[in-house]
Amino acid sequence: MDSFRRYYRKLYSGNASNFCNRIFFSDNPNFLNVFKWVGVIYILYLAYDLYKSKPKDVSSDNILSKSLFSFFRDGFLVAGTSPKAWMFFPLIFPQFIDFNGNYIVQFFILITTYVVLDFLSLMAYAVLARKLIVWIKANPKVINTISACVLVIIAMIIVFMQKY
């Protein structure tokens, strides 16, 4: 009966995370190890599947025409609904503003700097993508091979770094 009370206290003390840590993992220490190996096997399966898959044809002559406003609208929706923007501005920007000075000018300087750097980085991505698509069209299987190798490396990192 005493062991039942200890188990009952263990079961109902704390939140669900404590329950998992205290009851399940302490009583079943090999569970995390089994879970790790199942995950590694799944990642290796994904790598093999990706390596053996036939590359998609990216040389399609099917070009969709979109208006400039459509591109602007899509970009505005993606950037405006991004959690990065919603978290970055209220959490990071105030650290760089001296509220004893003219903070409105400082805020506009920070916003302008952010917009210019964001625009330049996105343009660099676009230029790189344009150059890369030529290479991918010439070597369609290479991207699958690289992706599969990255998955194998991730699996090996999990095997050698995660000790339970």
Side-chain angles (χ1 to χ4, degrees):
M1 188 68 162
D2 189 41
S3 65
F4 177 74
R5 284 186 189 145
R6 270 189 276 134
Y7 181 77
Y8 183 77
R9 271 190 230 129
K10 255 191 191 181
L11 181 64
Y12 288 104
S13 64
N15 55 20
S17 151
N18 276 341
F19 168 73
C20 287
N21 289 336
R22 291 174 139 183
I23 303 297
F24 190 74
F25 295 135
S26 66
D27 291 346
N28 305 308
N30 290 328
F31 177 76
L32 288 176
N33 199 24
V34 169
F35 194 65
K36 173 183 87 168
W37 284 105
V38 168
V40 165
I41 290 169
Y42 180 66
I43 290 173
L44 291 174
Y45 164 74
L46 289 177
Y48 176 77
D49 191 43
L50 188 60
Y51 180 73
K52 289 295 185 182
S53 68
K54 182 180 176 229
K56 293 184 178 180
D57 184 22
V58 292
S59 62
S60 164
D61 294 330
N62 233 357
I63 298 174
L64 299 174
S65 63
K66 290 177 77 172
S67 68
L68 288 177
F69 177 73
S70 175
F71 282 119
F72 178 78
R73 183 191 66 222
D74 292 348
F76 186 77
L77 285 173
V78 168
T81 58
S82 169
K84 178 183 81 169
W86 288 100
M87 290 294 128
F88 185 76
F89 290 120
L91 297 177
I92 302 296
F93 268 24
Q95 297 177 18
F96 297 103
I97 295 178
D98 178 21
F99 289 101
N100 295 327
N102 190 353
Y103 59 87
I104 294 175
V105 172
Q106 295 174 43
F107 185 72
F108 280 120
I109 290 171
L110 283 172
I111 291 290
T112 304
T113 304
Y114 175 79
V115 167
V116 168
L117 289 175
D118 193 38
F119 176 76
L120 290 176
S121 65
L122 291 176
M123 290 306 293
Y125 288 145
V127 169
L128 180 64
R130 182 164 280 222
K131 301 276 185 197
L132 196 58
I133 195 69
V134 173
W135 181 75
I136 289 174
K137 283 180 183 178
N139 306 306
K141 184 70 176 162
V142 173
I143 194 74
N144 285 0
T145 306
I146 291 171
S147 300
C149 288
V150 168
L151 285 174
V152 169
I153 290 169
I154 290 171
M156 293 301 113
I157 288 172
I158 291 171
V159 166
F160 293 115
M161 298 300 223
Q162 298 292 326
K163 303 290 182 200
Y164 297 112

